[in-house]
Amino acid sequence: MTDTPEAPIAAPEPTPTDPAPATVAAKPVKKEDWRDTLKFLLKLAVVVFIFRSFLFSPFSIPSQSMLPRLYIGDYLFISKWNYGYSRHSLPWSLPLIPGRIFPGTPARGDVVVFKSPTGSGEDVIKRVIGLPGDTIQMRGGQLILNGQAIPKVPVADFVIPLSPNYRDPRPNDDGCPQQFRDPAQTICRYKQFRETLPAADGRPAVSYNVLDRGQQPGADDTDLYSVPAGHIFVMGDNRDDSGDSRFPVPEGMGYVPLETVEGKAVITFWSTDGSAQWLLPWTWFTAARWSRMGQTF
């Protein structure tokens, strides 16, 4: 018997295996860079500061002293460049501007915002009546400017609906006294007149409406005022309910230094009758006085 050599057993071929997945390094979670956020907020604050200080600033009407032109609840923009700049042009009257730069003088009839002379830091809005060197007096409710009686022509009564922004008398603000309300207690009605300041220095005459509640000795008959240099004489259009230059501080404003004038009223951008409620968003629209928005000065 012949031994037949057995064929060599072939070694099993290696079984291919899937390649091991490549190890991906975990990216670290990027944390918010608080420094970038702080830089953005600082830049935003600088832009707002410059805009409000040198271009336009919002202002809201807190009282009825400028009726019929301005209602409580009106919001408007004032332009800041018309009369130059002072520290009162800046938020909180920061003492960064010495004196006045690029100074200008308002025109008679301008509606201006200025810092209250009482030292309260509040902003006040009134109409410019007298400029440096002018003389002003009230006689029997008629304005006398530089010895000349300013025309005061009766027009239709001024009527304003009673609302949360204009209803009951409040401290330092009479609201709508009972004698001026209609029987249904829905409106307030005042006698209204049209005044016209004369043209001057190439500027046209300026007309506006004023209200009259009847004879008020302290407001309708005054001494003769002479406006000193560097000051203006201001009055509210609601002549019998305005603490203005006819009265000394703190009852009124006295002569207003030009340095404290912040800007000129430009346009009303919002107005509300005060009936809106924060938690009822639809009342924001029903309370809006749409016809007053967009009115210019």
Side-chain angles (χ1 to χ4, degrees):
M1 179 174 181
T2 304
D3 293 332
T4 302
E6 297 180 356
I9 301 174
E13 294 181 3
T15 303
T17 58
D18 295 333
T23 303
V24 179
K27 292 183 179 180
V29 178
K30 185 178 180 180
K31 297 182 179 179
E32 180 181 1
D33 190 340
W34 64 269
R35 288 173 296 183
D36 289 341
T37 302
L38 181 59
K39 288 179 182 178
F40 169 77
L41 294 176
L42 288 175
K43 290 178 181 178
L44 180 62
V46 170
V47 170
V48 172
F49 180 87
I50 292 174
F51 187 86
R52 289 188 55 135
S53 300
F54 301 104
L55 299 176
F56 294 97
S57 181
F59 181 78
S60 62
I61 304 301
S63 75
Q64 62 166 334
S65 69
M66 280 297 292
L67 282 174
R69 181 61 187 86
L70 293 170
Y71 292 13
I72 298 172
D74 282 355
Y75 291 78
L76 52 93
F77 283 118
I78 63 172
S79 57
K80 304 298 288 284
W81 62 84
N82 302 81
Y83 315 125
Y85 302 99
S86 72
R87 67 185 184 93
H88 298 293
S89 303
L90 308 178
W92 309 292
S93 295
L94 294 173
L96 302 179
I97 300 177
R100 296 174 68 210
I101 58 176
F102 310 115
T105 301
R108 298 186 191 95
D110 284 358
V111 177
V112 301
V113 172
F114 55 92
K115 276 293 185 235
S116 171
T118 63
S120 63
E122 295 178 341
D123 295 327
V124 183
I125 188 166
K126 302 289 183 187
R127 188 179 299 276
V128 177
I129 300 297
L131 303 179
D134 285 346
T135 60
I136 295 109
Q137 188 175 22
M138 295 295 293
R139 298 177 190 165
Q142 184 166 36
L143 174 63
I144 310 297
L145 175 64
N146 294 327
Q148 300 296 318
I150 298 301
K152 183 179 180 181
V153 180
V155 295
D157 288 352
F158 171 70
V159 175
I160 181 172
L162 296 179
S163 71
N165 267 350
Y166 193 77
R167 184 177 298 277
D168 297 320
R170 297 169 291 172
N172 302 319
D173 190 343
D174 290 340
C176 180
Q178 192 65 37
Q179 66 268 32
F180 297 108
R181 301 187 185 198
D182 71 329
Q185 301 287 300
T186 59
I187 63 171
C188 198
R189 183 186 300 272
Y190 298 111
K191 295 293 183 183
Q192 186 173 212
F193 297 84
R194 188 78 167 167
E195 279 187 355
T196 301
L197 296 175
D201 301 325
R203 298 181 179 180
V206 178
S207 296
Y208 51 90
N209 290 355
V210 298
L211 302 184
D212 194 333
R213 295 186 178 186
Q215 189 65 20
Q216 307 287 332
D220 290 337
D221 290 282
T222 69
D223 295 332
L224 181 67
Y225 306 101
S226 296
V227 185
H231 294 73
I232 54 176
F233 191 98
V234 299
M235 295 177 69
D237 293 345
N238 192 358
R239 290 290 166 78
D240 295 327
D241 194 18
S242 174
D244 47 43
S245 292
R246 291 172 291 177
F247 311 101
V249 178
E251 181 184 0
M253 299 291 118
Y255 300 117
V256 176
L258 285 169
E259 183 179 343
T260 65
V261 177
E262 301 175 50
K264 178 182 179 181
V266 176
I267 188 171
T268 302
F269 66 86
W270 181 254
S271 182
T272 175
D273 65 13
S275 63
Q277 300 181 47
W278 284 109
L279 299 181
L280 303 176
W282 60 89
T283 65
W284 305 349
F285 301 94
T286 58
R289 296 183 288 219
W290 300 102
S291 63
R292 299 194 56 73
M293 299 177 202
Q295 294 183 357
T296 56
F297 292 78

